Amino acid sequence: MGSDLARLDWSLDLTTATPRQGRLGHFVEETRMVVRKWYSLADKVWNPQNLARAAAAVLSNQGSPGVDHQSCGHFAEHLEEELLDLGQALREHRYHPAPVRRVYIPKPGTKKRRPLGIPTVRDRVAQQAVRQILEPIWEPTFSPDSYGFRPQRSAQEAVQRLFGHLEEGYLWVVDADIQNFFGTIDQDLLVDQVAERVSDGTVLRWLREMLRAGVLEDGIQQPTDVGTPQGGVISPLLANIYLDVLDQTMATVPDVQYIRYADDWVVLAKTETAARQALAVAQTVVEASLHLTLHPEKTRVVDVRETSFDFLGFTFFWSKPGESGRPLYGPKAEAVQRFKLRIRQETRRNRPINLAMVIEDLIPVIRGWGQYFTISQNGQYYRLDAWIRERCRAFVAKRWNRSPALDREWTNQRLQELGLPSLVVMRRKVMAQHPRPS
């Protein structure tokens, strides 16, 4: 990055801009006050400060190269030149996105693989620049029931709200799944939804081209006439715009609680009748209005007192049979298995490093998993802590069968002094920050 970054002003925050920061600041302030139709936005997109902020966001993620094989590092080395060229191409209507590069990642909990579309770094910067201008237009009117990929909102908040409603007696749950959501979005309908607030034909053309840029897989370019590629910077915002009609409709359904994170959503009710009525409304919106399909096998209505369900990596269940039980939740079994697999990989006994270095590698794994999952009270954190310590001691001994003297030498306290995190301690901190009401 070097001196190129130093010459660019990345400090402009569109969400806190003031009129003294120029036309871009005036634009963002106005979006907060009134929902209106916007006729001239392209100049806001190619504004040098907006492009610089977009580049900062993209480069901070250090994503993979696209079809042009250009890395984030290479883009950063020529940052000023790249942004000047991109801005000029946008202004002169010469910008056309390249096809995305198809990659596959494992789908958690299954043997299937999820397709991702990786745009070039240049195209990710362009998408981010468009997103930064469009997001303030929609964000103030998005439903409070929507938590995914929104400023100041998180999956943990959605999970904690869901659990709170279970404790309030909303025990009938619509556990829904939209089949292949990102791959089946109606692109024309999506652009029409954006056009309800944006009349700038240049911005709408950019969106169409981003959606229809195609995908390159095994050297063969394929069209993308439907859907939006997972992996695109702008895809989460477009998904929220597309599903906003579902959010707004479900807010009018009486006697239910609706929670959505991206394409994962649930409805909670106090009676089976209310739950099934809510499912009927949602199905009408999803299928008739949005041209999507609810998965026939994965969409169901359950009583949590009898049947557990999963949401955002957690399993929600009833503590014991009968009315005397209570709702509980904890990490899905698959999430625990994936976590333990990572621990096993880092504590392989044939690694040519010492234990201090192993613990250094374990720290981000344990903290990352724990910071998300320790909001739940049923994570078997004591057992996981003990198992991780055993893996560390076995690494020192290079075998499981070892002298008891090793356990006395490598005490829990000594491992803690080396920096080994504790899930139990992380859970206690969560409880201290969010004590249960008496």
Side-chain angles (χ1 to χ4, degrees):
M1 300 183 188
S3 60
D4 287 339
L5 298 185
R7 289 195 292 269
L8 291 170
D9 178 10
W10 287 14
S11 63
L12 179 62
D13 182 351
L14 296 186
T15 63
T16 58
T18 66
R20 294 175 61 187
Q21 292 170 312
R23 294 175 61 198
L24 209 56
H26 280 294
F27 157 71
V28 176
E29 287 299 314
E30 289 181 39
T31 63
R32 289 172 170 169
M33 295 182 287
V34 60
V35 175
R36 52 170 286 189
K37 196 156 189 174
W38 293 89
Y39 294 85
S40 180
L41 293 176
D43 62 315
K44 317 296 189 299
V45 174
W46 65 58
N47 179 286
Q49 289 177 310
N50 187 50
L51 289 178
R53 183 168 173 258
V58 170
L59 296 179
S60 68
N61 288 330
Q62 289 295 310
S64 301
V67 296
D68 62 354
H69 306 293
Q70 184 185 39
S71 67
C72 285
H74 184 272
F75 190 94
E77 289 174 4
H78 304 85
L79 184 61
E80 188 170 7
E81 178 184 348
E82 291 282 1
L83 293 187
L84 287 173
D85 180 70
L86 175 58
Q88 188 172 359
L90 290 167
R91 286 192 301 273
E92 297 175 356
H93 305 284
R94 294 186 292 103
Y95 171 74
H96 303 286
V100 299
R101 180 172 65 90
R102 171 70 76 223
V103 298
Y104 292 90
I105 61 173
K107 192 171 183 179
T110 71
K111 296 182 179 180
K112 299 179 181 178
R113 297 188 303 163
R114 174 180 291 131
L116 293 183
I118 309 299
T120 65
V121 180
R122 170 188 168 97
D123 289 338
R124 295 205 292 273
V125 172
Q127 288 188 22
Q128 180 67 21
V130 173
R131 175 180 178 172
Q132 290 168 180
I133 300 305
L134 294 185
E135 191 167 63
I137 294 175
W138 268 271
E139 180 58 34
T141 62
F142 276 149
S143 168
D145 298 325
S146 169
Y147 290 84
F149 307 105
R150 295 183 58 194
Q152 311 303 319
R153 313 212 93 193
S154 69
Q156 286 182 317
E157 289 176 335
V159 167
Q160 289 172 317
R161 181 185 158 200
L162 189 161
F163 183 68
H165 289 317
L166 291 176
E167 291 188 308
E168 293 168 352
Y170 290 84
L171 303 180
W172 285 92
V173 181
V174 178
D175 181 15
D177 182 86
I178 299 177
Q179 194 166 11
N180 189 20
F181 169 68
F182 284 95
T184 56
I185 287 176
D186 185 323
Q187 293 180 356
D188 291 331
L189 178 57
L190 173 57
V191 175
D192 287 345
Q193 289 174 322
V194 175
E196 290 178 4
R197 299 191 191 182
V198 175
S199 289
D200 190 317
T202 299
V203 173
L204 296 176
R205 177 177 60 80
W206 289 335
L207 285 177
R208 288 192 185 93
E209 291 191 4
M210 290 172 182
L211 292 169
R212 297 174 182 172
V215 58
L216 190 67
E217 183 173 7
D218 297 329
I220 300 174
Q221 183 171 338
Q222 302 172 352
T224 50
D225 299 326
V226 65
T228 177
Q230 286 183 270
V233 175
I234 203 170
S235 294
L237 173 61
L238 296 180
N240 279 335
I241 292 173
Y242 198 77
L243 290 176
D244 189 54
V245 64
L246 175 63
D247 299 342
Q248 304 299 341
T249 301
M250 296 308 295
T252 68
V253 179
D255 303 321
V256 300
Q257 300 291 338
Y258 165 80
I259 301 170
R260 182 177 68 82
Y261 188 95
D263 60 325
D264 291 326
W265 54 275
V266 293
V267 180
L268 299 99
K270 292 186 175 181
T271 67
E272 181 180 9
T273 299
R276 294 197 178 280
Q277 289 175 343
L279 175 57
V281 172
Q283 188 164 12
T284 298
V285 175
V286 169
E287 299 184 351
S289 300
L290 297 177
H291 309 160
L292 301 169
T293 304
L294 290 181
H295 199 296
E297 298 175 0
K298 296 181 179 180
T299 300
R300 56 184 184 152
V301 175
V302 301
D303 181 348
V304 72
R305 291 165 293 191
E306 299 177 357
T307 307
S308 64
F309 69 97
D310 299 330
F311 186 63
L312 298 181
F314 293 89
T315 296
F316 297 81
F317 58 97
W318 201 247
S319 61
K320 58 183 179 180
E323 295 294 331
S324 61
R326 64 187 182 95
L328 294 173
Y329 73 114
K332 288 176 57 176
E334 294 88 345
V336 175
Q337 291 169 4
R338 290 194 299 272
F339 174 64
K340 294 179 76 171
L341 177 60
R342 285 292 309 277
I343 299 298
R344 288 189 181 97
Q345 291 170 342
E346 299 297 346
T347 55
R348 297 189 311 275
R349 280 162 278 173
N350 60 354
R351 296 188 70 190
I353 57 177
N354 60 36
L355 182 59
M357 298 170 70
V358 168
I359 290 177
E360 186 176 343
D361 290 339
L362 287 174
I363 288 172
V365 177
I366 298 171
R367 284 184 178 165
W369 193 88
Q371 285 170 356
Y372 184 72
F373 284 107
T374 54
I375 64 170
S376 63
Q377 74 277 67
N378 198 71
Q380 299 182 343
Y381 305 120
Y382 283 98
R383 185 177 299 178
L384 285 173
D385 273 355
W387 177 78
I388 292 170
R389 291 191 293 264
E390 285 298 291
R391 293 289 307 181
C392 290
R393 294 180 182 117
F395 177 85
V396 175
K398 302 302 180 185
R399 61 184 184 277
W400 279 107
N401 296 322
R402 60 185 183 274
S403 167
L406 189 66
D407 290 354
R408 293 192 294 269
E409 178 183 0
W410 291 95
T411 62
N412 295 355
Q413 179 65 29
R414 185 176 180 185
L415 293 174
Q416 180 181 343
E417 290 171 353
L418 283 174
L420 185 68
S422 165
L423 295 171
V424 170
V425 171
M426 296 176 73
R427 172 61 186 163
R428 287 173 181 165
K429 289 180 179 179
V430 171
M431 294 173 66
Q433 293 170 357
H434 305 283
R436 294 180 60 86
S438 57

